[in-house]
Amino acid sequence: MRRPILLILFISIIISLVYTKNYKDKFYDIEDKYIKVEGIVKNAIYKEYYYEYGVGNFLIRDFNKTQKINIGEYIYVKGIFKSSYNMMVDEFNYGMYLKSRGVDGIINSEYIRSCKSHNIYSYIKKVRTSLEYSTENIFRENSSFINALILGDKSKLDINIKKAFSRAGVSHIIALSGLHIGILIYIITLIIGRIKSLLKFFIISLLICLYSFIVGFRGSMFRACIFSFIIYLSVFVQREYDGISTLSFVGIILFIINPFIIYDIGVQLSFLATISIIYFYNKIDKYIRCPLISTTLSASILTIPVVYYKFNIISNIFLISNILIVPTVGILIGLIFMCIISYYINFNIIYLMLSKIVSFIILYIKSIVFYLSNMKYSYIEFETVRLKLVVLYYILLMAYMIYSERKTVKEQINEVRGYN
């Protein structure tokens, strides 16, 4: 086999599926019981009806909204425990979603107390708060869109914007993934130059990790970071790398850390898009000769069935919208960071000028998205979806990929033996 690590990945996927389907809830004995938990708040969300805090592998929900506790603070909680295992909301398996995020259960607090603490989470919170404050001051009405774009915070983003981006097939722009990591790396290399020394490699790796911690080190970001790290390590040591083997290695690590991550839709789309680009890009670009179109088409080959099954929608205009919008995203993110830096060092004229350009680009993106998404037949929405069609699609595609792999191996063997 040309890529034995790919076989290990498939075995890991099967083991993860078997393990999660036969998982025995270790918290069964304390379901609906009064428990005590303490620890550092790793994330915090302030909703209309309750405040939610991530502590260890638990979510703490304070329906009394006693006080706003910040990320990095140490808290003591007493409350009723609800296991995330088999937790359903209507027909949605909310418990499996929580397990994929590493959450074992929810504690509805009856008593909560906090104290200040100095740790990495508190410093990350300060940086994130500072960035949010600067975007609100600089960009004002566009701050919610910018926070979604660079920080992954879509909580304040208008629901109509989310729907429009989904219908136009460009929702990946406001979902932190490899695209954002790639843009960030490109910006860094423009500033410090290409990797030619250990210092530059260290700076890029450090900034990527720092950015990932600020926005939340979730599955798709972990995949993007490790994947980029290995790619740039190969450039530094001047060794070739194999994209599918690298992706397989990252996947195996993720499944070892948390087998339930296989149900995370963000991770699914991130991995499928990456492997689809790696595998199909050259085959498509050989005929089209346009990198942007080739990338968009190749990424969609493995992701469209998941979008269809999970979101009941298929965009008919994703190619047009990606061609018109994606090239501007890299420029937009670069200008946003330049604008924020200028704001902090009091270059008022520069950041005011840049903010006008940023606002114009955002207006352009939103105008294109709303126009295309509102076109007749711009998307197909399904009342019901069929799993059999998705399975059949992937079986046929896997058969083609296996055939192609065997053909490539045979050609390589013939070349080694001196046959044409």
Side-chain angles (χ1 to χ4, degrees):
M1 187 175 180
R2 192 155 70 104
R3 297 184 178 98
I5 195 170
L6 188 58
L7 177 62
I8 299 173
L9 175 65
F10 284 126
I11 294 171
S12 301
I13 292 172
I14 293 169
I15 291 173
S16 296
L17 288 170
V18 172
Y19 173 80
T20 55
K21 293 298 182 183
N22 295 279
Y23 174 79
K24 292 183 179 179
D25 185 17
K26 59 184 178 181
F27 297 101
Y28 177 78
D29 293 336
I30 60 172
E31 178 76 12
D32 292 324
K33 290 185 178 178
Y34 196 74
I35 67 168
K36 300 177 183 178
V37 171
E38 61 181 80
I40 296 170
V41 176
K42 296 180 180 179
N43 53 70
I45 302 174
Y46 312 111
K47 298 189 177 183
E48 183 180 356
Y49 298 107
Y50 60 85
Y51 296 155
E52 183 177 273
Y53 309 107
V55 178
N57 293 334
F58 303 106
L59 286 182
I60 314 298
R61 286 184 176 169
D62 180 13
F63 285 91
N64 296 321
K65 298 199 287 187
T66 311
Q67 57 178 318
K68 278 191 176 182
I69 300 172
N70 293 317
I71 294 173
E73 292 187 31
Y74 198 90
I75 66 171
Y76 303 84
V77 179
K78 297 177 184 178
I80 302 298
F81 176 78
K82 294 284 186 182
S83 173
S84 59
Y85 186 66
N86 280 338
M87 186 183 291
M88 302 295 294
V89 177
D90 295 327
E91 296 182 0
F92 174 60
N93 194 331
Y94 183 60
M96 197 64 78
Y97 165 79
L98 291 177
K99 294 290 286 185
S100 72
R101 296 295 179 98
V103 177
D104 289 323
I106 296 172
I107 300 172
N108 296 321
S109 69
E110 294 184 3
Y111 170 81
I112 188 166
R113 179 169 60 88
S114 67
C115 63
K116 299 293 182 181
S117 177
H118 296 288
N119 50 69
I120 187 170
Y121 295 102
S122 60
Y123 291 115
I124 287 172
K125 171 62 178 176
K126 289 179 181 178
V127 174
R128 189 181 176 96
T129 301
S130 180
L131 285 172
E132 289 173 348
Y133 177 78
S134 62
T135 56
E136 287 174 4
N137 278 324
I138 298 169
F139 306 108
R140 302 188 185 281
E141 68 274 6
N142 289 319
S143 62
S144 59
F145 180 83
I146 288 172
N147 285 335
L149 184 67
I150 66 171
L151 297 176
D153 180 12
K154 292 185 282 188
S155 60
K156 297 178 182 178
L157 198 60
D158 187 84
I159 187 65
N160 293 321
I161 293 177
K162 294 178 185 178
K163 286 182 179 179
F165 271 76
S166 179
R167 290 168 178 172
V170 288
S171 55
H172 60 281
I173 290 173
I174 51 175
L176 292 177
S177 61
L179 173 66
H180 297 74
I181 293 294
I183 291 170
L184 180 61
I185 291 173
Y186 182 74
I187 293 170
I188 296 169
T189 52
L190 279 179
I191 296 171
I192 67 174
R194 293 184 178 180
I195 297 178
K196 292 182 180 179
S197 68
L198 181 61
L199 178 61
K200 289 182 179 180
F201 175 73
F202 175 75
I203 291 171
I204 290 175
S205 302
L206 180 64
L207 291 176
I208 291 172
C209 289
L210 180 61
Y211 176 70
S212 299
F213 272 111
I214 291 170
V215 300
F217 221 141
R218 294 177 179 174
S220 57
M221 288 300 291
F222 181 86
R223 192 278 309 161
C225 287
I226 301 299
F227 190 78
S228 301
F229 174 81
I230 294 174
I231 290 174
Y232 277 86
L233 179 62
S234 68
V235 172
F236 175 70
V237 298
Q238 297 182 340
R239 295 287 298 272
E240 290 187 13
Y241 77 96
D242 180 73
I244 293 178
S245 296
T246 302
L247 194 65
S248 300
F249 173 71
V250 176
I252 292 166
I253 294 174
L254 283 173
F255 292 136
I256 290 173
I257 295 172
N258 179 15
F260 286 92
I261 204 167
I262 197 170
Y263 300 104
D264 188 320
I265 184 65
V267 172
Q268 291 174 14
L269 290 173
S270 178
F271 268 86
L272 287 172
T274 306
I275 198 170
S276 197
I277 291 169
I278 292 170
Y279 197 86
F280 294 105
Y281 174 82
N282 289 331
K283 300 178 188 297
I284 295 173
D285 196 58
K286 182 169 62 176
Y287 300 100
I288 294 179
R289 299 294 181 183
C290 178
L292 180 57
I293 296 177
S294 300
T295 301
T296 304
L297 287 175
S298 58
S300 67
I301 291 173
L302 289 177
T303 56
I304 280 181
V306 175
V307 174
Y308 155 77
Y309 185 71
K310 292 290 185 179
F311 303 107
N312 296 48
I313 192 172
I314 291 179
S315 173
N316 295 324
I317 53 165
F318 72 92
L319 183 59
I320 299 171
S321 56
N322 274 273
I323 291 171
L324 293 174
I325 292 171
V326 169
T328 66
V329 175
I331 299 170
L332 177 61
I333 292 176
L335 289 173
I336 289 169
F337 282 120
M338 287 173 61
C339 199
I340 292 171
I341 292 169
S342 302
Y343 173 79
Y344 278 115
I345 59 179
N346 292 322
F347 281 1
N348 296 337
I349 296 176
I350 293 177
Y351 94 72
L352 286 172
M353 180 180 67
L354 291 175
S355 66
K356 296 293 184 184
I357 300 173
V358 167
S359 297
F360 176 77
I361 295 174
I362 292 174
L363 177 62
Y364 164 79
I365 291 173
K366 287 182 178 179
S367 299
I368 293 293
V369 168
F370 278 109
Y371 177 76
L372 291 176
S373 63
N374 288 322
M375 286 176 60
K376 194 174 183 180
Y377 307 121
S378 61
Y379 64 94
I380 304 172
E381 200 162 12
F382 301 87
E383 290 184 5
T384 57
V385 292
R386 296 182 180 180
L387 180 59
K388 289 181 181 179
L389 290 177
V390 176
V391 172
L392 178 61
Y393 178 91
Y394 281 122
I395 288 174
L396 293 174
L397 205 58
M398 285 294 295
Y400 165 76
M401 293 172 74
I402 291 170
Y403 167 77
S404 182
E405 280 287 292
R406 288 172 63 87
K407 185 179 178 182
T408 301
V409 170
K410 188 176 180 180
E411 289 174 352
Q412 289 176 345
I413 293 172
N414 289 338
E415 286 176 5
V416 171
R417 291 177 177 174
Y419 301 137
N420 294 323

